Amino acid sequence: MYAVEYQKAKSAADASGLIAKSGGRALAGGQSLIGAMKLRLAQPGTLVDLAGIPELAGIRVESGTLSIGAMTRHADVAGSADVKRTIPALAALAEGIGDRQVRNMGTIGGSLANNDPAADWPAAVLALGATVITHQRRIGASDFFKGMYETALAADEIITAVSFPVPRKAAYVKFPNPASRFALVGVFVAQLADGSARVAVTGAAPSVFRAASVEAALAKAFTPDAAKAAHVDAAGLSSDLHASAAYRAHLIPVIAARAVAAA
Amino acid sequence: MGIAISMTVNGAAVSAEIDPRTLLVDFLRVNLGLTGTHVGCDTAQCGACTIHLDGRAVKSCNVLALQANGARVTTIEGLAGSGELHPMQAAFKECHGLQCGFCTPGMVMSAIDLVQRHPNADEATIRAQLEGNLCRCTGYHNIVKAVQQGAAAMSR
């Protein structure tokens, strides 16, 4: 990789200041960023390390919400008794990210800020209507994901935590690419506390999105058969050497049905 | 442009001035001469570079040395105490859990992390939990046997 400067931040505000001053990038777990730097797809002049900042750590259960600190490792979400008790679908999702070694380094905040088209966390955040909390503001899930690797975050804005409203039930199922294990299609289904059905899809398009037709079907009956009977249009879906847009469109109701069955 | 770094590697304090872009695996192999940790794919897929960072298995080709600043690192060289193999190393030897041996250091480090979390792991759990370690010789059958035997030995 190209030469890079390194600074360690003491707080989220400190990290923001260091990034604004240097034009650099935040380093969370580095499981996507370091690989991108090795390939020279990313060439930050400065890395500002967020490790060890107290305000980015911790998992808290408050009235009806589960809050996960931005620097929480996937493995720690997967193993958290609080997560398993309140929203077990999130623990299962975290346990399915990458492999054990990646889960031991990678963080929820890093994954969301990166917004990889096939990342798992964006589907959970969008389906549950979570709130992304930064050191400056609160961003609703529907306003956060802007496009491929693009979010509503300013360049010097630091995610501190994600707040998930506890749903009635939820589940995430992905159809992994056999080689990379990234989601070819991943579907997070949820029945929210108010009874509404939400369905978010990752891996199938440049950015995570809600599957309106599957949501409409599940609003009538939250059953696998209802999900499976929904029609998803292939327009706008990704087509690549792994799967055509039509195949991804076919997979979405199928995987959604499996998720409803698991919820 | 050097940055001071210090950590505990296999129980010994080490410190150096390094280029910030130095990967942890290169720090271990080049600066410290601990070449038991291998570089296989260099893209965080194969797991040959797996070490323990504060007791947890990570891929050292995908971690900056500076991310381990102040941490406790264990490599394959740190497992055998006073000339005796770690029970997991012994199990790999007895079960012939290796063919060419290139992936073995990473397999052993992942296996120990696995057994510490799942002391009674069944075969399916072992296979799933070793997803991040690839054996190019495809010697998985004996590797799984070795992990099971190593797990039993570690619990004694």
Side-chain angles (χ1 to χ4, degrees), chain A residues 204-233:
Chain A
S207 184
V208 67
F209 67 94
R210 283 172 64 183
S213 63
V214 186
E215 288 186 358
L218 291 177
K220 293 194 190 103
F222 198 84
T223 63
D225 285 344
K228 209 167 177 177
H231 173 77
V232 173
D233 192 7

PDB file of all heavy atoms in Angstrom, chain A residues 204-233:
ATOM      1  N   ALA A 204     -28.104  -7.117  -3.724  1.00  0.00           N
ATOM      2  CA  ALA A 204     -28.833  -7.246  -4.995  1.00  0.00           C
ATOM      3  C   ALA A 204     -28.789  -5.995  -5.848  1.00  0.00           C
ATOM      4  O   ALA A 204     -29.182  -6.018  -7.009  1.00  0.00           O
ATOM      5  CB  ALA A 204     -30.287  -7.626  -4.721  1.00  0.00           C
ATOM      6  N   ALA A 205     -28.328  -4.892  -5.293  1.00  0.00           N
ATOM      7  CA  ALA A 205     -28.351  -3.609  -6.000  1.00  0.00           C
ATOM      8  C   ALA A 205     -27.147  -2.789  -5.529  1.00  0.00           C
ATOM      9  O   ALA A 205     -26.449  -3.186  -4.597  1.00  0.00           O
ATOM     10  CB  ALA A 205     -29.667  -2.889  -5.716  1.00  0.00           C
ATOM     11  N   PRO A 206     -26.900  -1.634  -6.135  1.00  0.00           N
ATOM     12  CA  PRO A 206     -25.748  -0.831  -5.700  1.00  0.00           C
ATOM     13  C   PRO A 206     -25.784  -0.454  -4.224  1.00  0.00           C
ATOM     14  O   PRO A 206     -24.746  -0.218  -3.614  1.00  0.00           O
ATOM     15  CB  PRO A 206     -25.837   0.412  -6.592  1.00  0.00           C
ATOM     16  CG  PRO A 206     -26.517  -0.080  -7.828  1.00  0.00           C
ATOM     17  CD  PRO A 206     -27.511  -1.101  -7.362  1.00  0.00           C
ATOM     18  N   SER A 207     -26.974  -0.373  -3.648  1.00  0.00           N
ATOM     19  CA  SER A 207     -27.075  -0.077  -2.219  1.00  0.00           C
ATOM     20  C   SER A 207     -28.289  -0.799  -1.651  1.00  0.00           C
ATOM     21  O   SER A 207     -29.177  -1.217  -2.394  1.00  0.00           O
ATOM     22  CB  SER A 207     -27.190   1.430  -2.000  1.00  0.00           C
ATOM     23  OG  SER A 207     -27.207   1.732  -0.611  1.00  0.00           O
ATOM     24  N   VAL A 208     -28.319  -0.942  -0.350  1.00  0.00           N
ATOM     25  CA  VAL A 208     -29.430  -1.618   0.321  1.00  0.00           C
ATOM     26  C   VAL A 208     -30.740  -0.900  -0.012  1.00  0.00           C
ATOM     27  O   VAL A 208     -30.770   0.313  -0.209  1.00  0.00           O
ATOM     28  CB  VAL A 208     -29.167  -1.646   1.840  1.00  0.00           C
ATOM     29  CG1 VAL A 208     -29.200  -0.246   2.431  1.00  0.00           C
ATOM     30  CG2 VAL A 208     -30.145  -2.554   2.570  1.00  0.00           C
ATOM     31  N   PHE A 209     -31.851  -1.662  -0.103  1.00  0.00           N
ATOM     32  CA  PHE A 209     -33.148  -1.041  -0.410  1.00  0.00           C
ATOM     33  C   PHE A 209     -34.266  -1.847   0.233  1.00  0.00           C
ATOM     34  O   PHE A 209     -34.072  -2.998   0.624  1.00  0.00           O
ATOM     35  CB  PHE A 209     -33.357  -0.949  -1.923  1.00  0.00           C
ATOM     36  CG  PHE A 209     -33.502  -2.291  -2.604  1.00  0.00           C
ATOM     37  CD1 PHE A 209     -34.745  -2.851  -2.842  1.00  0.00           C
ATOM     38  CD2 PHE A 209     -32.366  -2.999  -3.003  1.00  0.00           C
ATOM     39  CE1 PHE A 209     -34.865  -4.092  -3.463  1.00  0.00           C
ATOM     40  CE2 PHE A 209     -32.484  -4.242  -3.624  1.00  0.00           C
ATOM     41  CZ  PHE A 209     -33.735  -4.792  -3.851  1.00  0.00           C
ATOM     42  N   ARG A 210     -35.448  -1.222   0.339  1.00  0.00           N
ATOM     43  CA  ARG A 210     -36.617  -1.911   0.868  1.00  0.00           C
ATOM     44  C   ARG A 210     -37.399  -2.527  -0.285  1.00  0.00           C
ATOM     45  O   ARG A 210     -37.611  -1.880  -1.315  1.00  0.00           O
ATOM     46  CB  ARG A 210     -37.495  -0.945   1.659  1.00  0.00           C
ATOM     47  CG  ARG A 210     -36.923  -0.654   3.033  1.00  0.00           C
ATOM     48  CD  ARG A 210     -37.659   0.443   3.747  1.00  0.00           C
ATOM     49  NE  ARG A 210     -39.054   0.096   4.028  1.00  0.00           N
ATOM     50  CZ  ARG A 210     -39.919   0.940   4.597  1.00  0.00           C
ATOM     51  NH1 ARG A 210     -39.518   2.151   4.943  1.00  0.00           N
ATOM     52  NH2 ARG A 210     -41.156   0.559   4.827  1.00  0.00           N
ATOM     53  N   ALA A 211     -37.829  -3.761  -0.107  1.00  0.00           N
ATOM     54  CA  ALA A 211     -38.598  -4.462  -1.137  1.00  0.00           C
ATOM     55  C   ALA A 211     -40.077  -4.201  -0.885  1.00  0.00           C
ATOM     56  O   ALA A 211     -40.725  -4.900  -0.097  1.00  0.00           O
ATOM     57  CB  ALA A 211     -38.290  -5.955  -1.099  1.00  0.00           C
ATOM     58  N   ALA A 212     -40.610  -3.193  -1.581  1.00  0.00           N
ATOM     59  CA  ALA A 212     -41.980  -2.735  -1.314  1.00  0.00           C
ATOM     60  C   ALA A 212     -43.006  -3.832  -1.573  1.00  0.00           C
ATOM     61  O   ALA A 212     -43.966  -3.980  -0.807  1.00  0.00           O
ATOM     62  CB  ALA A 212     -42.275  -1.503  -2.169  1.00  0.00           C
ATOM     63  N   SER A 213     -42.799  -4.616  -2.638  1.00  0.00           N
ATOM     64  CA  SER A 213     -43.813  -5.631  -2.968  1.00  0.00           C
ATOM     65  C   SER A 213     -43.856  -6.725  -1.905  1.00  0.00           C
ATOM     66  O   SER A 213     -44.928  -7.235  -1.576  1.00  0.00           O
ATOM     67  CB  SER A 213     -43.527  -6.229  -4.349  1.00  0.00           C
ATOM     68  OG  SER A 213     -42.271  -6.894  -4.350  1.00  0.00           O
ATOM     69  N   VAL A 214     -42.687  -7.088  -1.359  1.00  0.00           N
ATOM     70  CA  VAL A 214     -42.666  -8.118  -0.310  1.00  0.00           C
ATOM     71  C   VAL A 214     -43.264  -7.551   0.982  1.00  0.00           C
ATOM     72  O   VAL A 214     -44.002  -8.238   1.693  1.00  0.00           O
ATOM     73  CB  VAL A 214     -41.231  -8.643  -0.081  1.00  0.00           C
ATOM     74  CG1 VAL A 214     -41.243  -9.817   0.890  1.00  0.00           C
ATOM     75  CG2 VAL A 214     -40.575  -9.049  -1.387  1.00  0.00           C
ATOM     76  N   GLU A 215     -42.970  -6.276   1.260  1.00  0.00           N
ATOM     77  CA  GLU A 215     -43.559  -5.639   2.448  1.00  0.00           C
ATOM     78  C   GLU A 215     -45.087  -5.622   2.348  1.00  0.00           C
ATOM     79  O   GLU A 215     -45.788  -5.912   3.325  1.00  0.00           O
ATOM     80  CB  GLU A 215     -43.032  -4.208   2.610  1.00  0.00           C
ATOM     81  CG  GLU A 215     -41.587  -4.157   3.066  1.00  0.00           C
ATOM     82  CD  GLU A 215     -41.119  -2.736   3.377  1.00  0.00           C
ATOM     83  OE1 GLU A 215     -41.910  -1.787   3.209  1.00  0.00           O
ATOM     84  OE2 GLU A 215     -39.954  -2.599   3.796  1.00  0.00           O
ATOM     85  N   ALA A 216     -45.608  -5.294   1.151  1.00  0.00           N
ATOM     86  CA  ALA A 216     -47.060  -5.242   0.971  1.00  0.00           C
ATOM     87  C   ALA A 216     -47.681  -6.616   1.196  1.00  0.00           C
ATOM     88  O   ALA A 216     -48.739  -6.745   1.826  1.00  0.00           O
ATOM     89  CB  ALA A 216     -47.388  -4.718  -0.431  1.00  0.00           C
ATOM     90  N   ALA A 217     -46.994  -7.645   0.688  1.00  0.00           N
ATOM     91  CA  ALA A 217     -47.511  -9.004   0.863  1.00  0.00           C
ATOM     92  C   ALA A 217     -47.501  -9.402   2.339  1.00  0.00           C
ATOM     93  O   ALA A 217     -48.452 -10.012   2.844  1.00  0.00           O
ATOM     94  CB  ALA A 217     -46.667  -9.982   0.043  1.00  0.00           C
ATOM     95  N   LEU A 218     -46.413  -9.034   3.047  1.00  0.00           N
ATOM     96  CA  LEU A 218     -46.291  -9.422   4.458  1.00  0.00           C
ATOM     97  C   LEU A 218     -47.210  -8.591   5.354  1.00  0.00           C
ATOM     98  O   LEU A 218     -47.532  -9.015   6.469  1.00  0.00           O
ATOM     99  CB  LEU A 218     -44.838  -9.299   4.921  1.00  0.00           C
ATOM    100  CG  LEU A 218     -43.866 -10.317   4.317  1.00  0.00           C
ATOM    101  CD1 LEU A 218     -42.442 -10.048   4.799  1.00  0.00           C
ATOM    102  CD2 LEU A 218     -44.277 -11.742   4.674  1.00  0.00           C
ATOM    103  N   ALA A 219     -47.622  -7.408   4.868  1.00  0.00           N
ATOM    104  CA  ALA A 219     -48.556  -6.598   5.652  1.00  0.00           C
ATOM    105  C   ALA A 219     -49.905  -7.302   5.758  1.00  0.00           C
ATOM    106  O   ALA A 219     -50.602  -7.187   6.764  1.00  0.00           O
ATOM    107  CB  ALA A 219     -48.722  -5.222   5.013  1.00  0.00           C
ATOM    108  N   LYS A 220     -50.241  -8.049   4.702  1.00  0.00           N
ATOM    109  CA  LYS A 220     -51.519  -8.789   4.718  1.00  0.00           C
ATOM    110  C   LYS A 220     -51.391 -10.043   5.568  1.00  0.00           C
ATOM    111  O   LYS A 220     -52.295 -10.381   6.335  1.00  0.00           O
ATOM    112  CB  LYS A 220     -51.916  -9.161   3.287  1.00  0.00           C
ATOM    113  CG  LYS A 220     -52.257  -7.936   2.431  1.00  0.00           C
ATOM    114  CD  LYS A 220     -52.969  -8.342   1.134  1.00  0.00           C
ATOM    115  CE  LYS A 220     -53.067  -7.155   0.186  1.00  0.00           C
ATOM    116  NZ  LYS A 220     -52.068  -7.222  -0.901  1.00  0.00           N
ATOM    117  N   ALA A 221     -50.281 -10.773   5.396  1.00  0.00           N
ATOM    118  CA  ALA A 221     -50.058 -11.995   6.178  1.00  0.00           C
ATOM    119  C   ALA A 221     -48.560 -12.181   6.330  1.00  0.00           C
ATOM    120  O   ALA A 221     -47.856 -12.308   5.331  1.00  0.00           O
ATOM    121  CB  ALA A 221     -50.666 -13.202   5.476  1.00  0.00           C
ATOM    122  N   PHE A 222     -48.083 -12.188   7.583  1.00  0.00           N
ATOM    123  CA  PHE A 222     -46.642 -12.329   7.821  1.00  0.00           C
ATOM    124  C   PHE A 222     -46.285 -13.816   7.797  1.00  0.00           C
ATOM    125  O   PHE A 222     -46.023 -14.445   8.822  1.00  0.00           O
ATOM    126  CB  PHE A 222     -46.275 -11.684   9.160  1.00  0.00           C
ATOM    127  CG  PHE A 222     -44.799 -11.387   9.290  1.00  0.00           C
ATOM    128  CD1 PHE A 222     -44.258 -10.225   8.760  1.00  0.00           C
ATOM    129  CD2 PHE A 222     -43.941 -12.273   9.938  1.00  0.00           C
ATOM    130  CE1 PHE A 222     -42.900  -9.954   8.874  1.00  0.00           C
ATOM    131  CE2 PHE A 222     -42.577 -12.008  10.052  1.00  0.00           C
ATOM    132  CZ  PHE A 222     -42.069 -10.834   9.521  1.00  0.00           C
ATOM    133  N   THR A 223     -46.337 -14.387   6.583  1.00  0.00           N
ATOM    134  CA  THR A 223     -46.088 -15.825   6.427  1.00  0.00           C
ATOM    135  C   THR A 223     -45.090 -16.051   5.287  1.00  0.00           C
ATOM    136  O   THR A 223     -44.986 -15.226   4.364  1.00  0.00           O
ATOM    137  CB  THR A 223     -47.381 -16.577   6.065  1.00  0.00           C
ATOM    138  OG1 THR A 223     -47.853 -16.098   4.782  1.00  0.00           O
ATOM    139  CG2 THR A 223     -48.465 -16.367   7.116  1.00  0.00           C
ATOM    140  N   PRO A 224     -44.383 -17.181   5.325  1.00  0.00           N
ATOM    141  CA  PRO A 224     -43.449 -17.499   4.235  1.00  0.00           C
ATOM    142  C   PRO A 224     -44.148 -17.554   2.881  1.00  0.00           C
ATOM    143  O   PRO A 224     -43.602 -17.067   1.881  1.00  0.00           O
ATOM    144  CB  PRO A 224     -42.896 -18.876   4.632  1.00  0.00           C
ATOM    145  CG  PRO A 224     -43.047 -18.942   6.117  1.00  0.00           C
ATOM    146  CD  PRO A 224     -44.295 -18.159   6.437  1.00  0.00           C
ATOM    147  N   ASP A 225     -45.353 -18.128   2.841  1.00  0.00           N
ATOM    148  CA  ASP A 225     -46.062 -18.230   1.562  1.00  0.00           C
ATOM    149  C   ASP A 225     -46.365 -16.857   0.976  1.00  0.00           C
ATOM    150  O   ASP A 225     -46.240 -16.652  -0.235  1.00  0.00           O
ATOM    151  CB  ASP A 225     -47.367 -19.017   1.752  1.00  0.00           C
ATOM    152  CG  ASP A 225     -47.103 -20.512   1.905  1.00  0.00           C
ATOM    153  OD1 ASP A 225     -45.968 -20.943   1.560  1.00  0.00           O
ATOM    154  OD2 ASP A 225     -47.993 -21.235   2.366  1.00  0.00           O
ATOM    155  N   ALA A 226     -46.744 -15.922   1.832  1.00  0.00           N
ATOM    156  CA  ALA A 226     -47.037 -14.568   1.354  1.00  0.00           C
ATOM    157  C   ALA A 226     -45.783 -13.928   0.769  1.00  0.00           C
ATOM    158  O   ALA A 226     -45.829 -13.302  -0.298  1.00  0.00           O
ATOM    159  CB  ALA A 226     -47.588 -13.721   2.504  1.00  0.00           C
ATOM    160  N   ALA A 227     -44.657 -14.102   1.456  1.00  0.00           N
ATOM    161  CA  ALA A 227     -43.408 -13.520   0.957  1.00  0.00           C
ATOM    162  C   ALA A 227     -43.036 -14.123  -0.387  1.00  0.00           C
ATOM    163  O   ALA A 227     -42.654 -13.418  -1.328  1.00  0.00           O
ATOM    164  CB  ALA A 227     -42.293 -13.752   1.973  1.00  0.00           C
ATOM    165  N   LYS A 228     -43.175 -15.446  -0.473  1.00  0.00           N
ATOM    166  CA  LYS A 228     -42.746 -16.154  -1.671  1.00  0.00           C
ATOM    167  C   LYS A 228     -43.592 -15.780  -2.884  1.00  0.00           C
ATOM    168  O   LYS A 228     -43.114 -15.811  -4.024  1.00  0.00           O
ATOM    169  CB  LYS A 228     -42.824 -17.662  -1.421  1.00  0.00           C
ATOM    170  CG  LYS A 228     -41.828 -18.461  -2.227  1.00  0.00           C
ATOM    171  CD  LYS A 228     -41.756 -19.874  -1.703  1.00  0.00           C
ATOM    172  CE  LYS A 228     -40.809 -20.708  -2.555  1.00  0.00           C
ATOM    173  NZ  LYS A 228     -40.684 -22.062  -2.017  1.00  0.00           N
ATOM    174  N   ALA A 229     -44.855 -15.437  -2.644  1.00  0.00           N
ATOM    175  CA  ALA A 229     -45.764 -15.115  -3.747  1.00  0.00           C
ATOM    176  C   ALA A 229     -45.545 -13.707  -4.294  1.00  0.00           C
ATOM    177  O   ALA A 229     -46.065 -13.364  -5.353  1.00  0.00           O
ATOM    178  CB  ALA A 229     -47.211 -15.267  -3.278  1.00  0.00           C
ATOM    179  N   ALA A 230     -44.756 -12.888  -3.594  1.00  0.00           N
ATOM    180  CA  ALA A 230     -44.534 -11.507  -4.045  1.00  0.00           C
ATOM    181  C   ALA A 230     -43.688 -11.504  -5.317  1.00  0.00           C
ATOM    182  O   ALA A 230     -42.848 -12.379  -5.530  1.00  0.00           O
ATOM    183  CB  ALA A 230     -43.845 -10.709  -2.949  1.00  0.00           C
ATOM    184  N   HIS A 231     -43.933 -10.503  -6.151  1.00  0.00           N
ATOM    185  CA  HIS A 231     -43.134 -10.358  -7.367  1.00  0.00           C
ATOM    186  C   HIS A 231     -42.166  -9.180  -7.196  1.00  0.00           C
ATOM    187  O   HIS A 231     -42.574  -8.093  -6.792  1.00  0.00           O
ATOM    188  CB  HIS A 231     -44.044 -10.113  -8.574  1.00  0.00           C
ATOM    189  CG  HIS A 231     -43.269  -9.784  -9.817  1.00  0.00           C
ATOM    190  ND1 HIS A 231     -42.617 -10.746 -10.557  1.00  0.00           N
ATOM    191  CD2 HIS A 231     -43.008  -8.591 -10.412  1.00  0.00           C
ATOM    192  CE1 HIS A 231     -41.999 -10.156 -11.566  1.00  0.00           C
ATOM    193  NE2 HIS A 231     -42.210  -8.859 -11.507  1.00  0.00           N
ATOM    194  N   VAL A 232     -40.900  -9.417  -7.497  1.00  0.00           N
ATOM    195  CA  VAL A 232     -39.901  -8.347  -7.426  1.00  0.00           C
ATOM    196  C   VAL A 232     -39.397  -8.065  -8.831  1.00  0.00           C
ATOM    197  O   VAL A 232     -38.987  -8.986  -9.557  1.00  0.00           O
ATOM    198  CB  VAL A 232     -38.729  -8.741  -6.499  1.00  0.00           C
ATOM    199  CG1 VAL A 232     -37.609  -7.708  -6.566  1.00  0.00           C
ATOM    200  CG2 VAL A 232     -39.215  -8.899  -5.063  1.00  0.00           C
ATOM    201  N   ASP A 233     -39.431  -6.815  -9.229  1.00  0.00           N
ATOM    202  CA  ASP A 233     -39.003  -6.407 -10.562  1.00  0.00           C
ATOM    203  C   ASP A 233     -37.472  -6.392 -10.631  1.00  0.00           C
ATOM    204  O   ASP A 233     -36.806  -5.929  -9.706  1.00  0.00           O
ATOM    205  CB  ASP A 233     -39.559  -5.007 -10.848  1.00  0.00           C
ATOM    206  CG  ASP A 233     -39.398  -4.628 -12.308  1.00  0.00           C
ATOM    207  OD1 ASP A 233     -38.985  -5.500 -13.103  1.00  0.00           O
ATOM    208  OD2 ASP A 233     -39.665  -3.470 -12.653  1.00  0.00           O
TER     209      ASP A 233
END
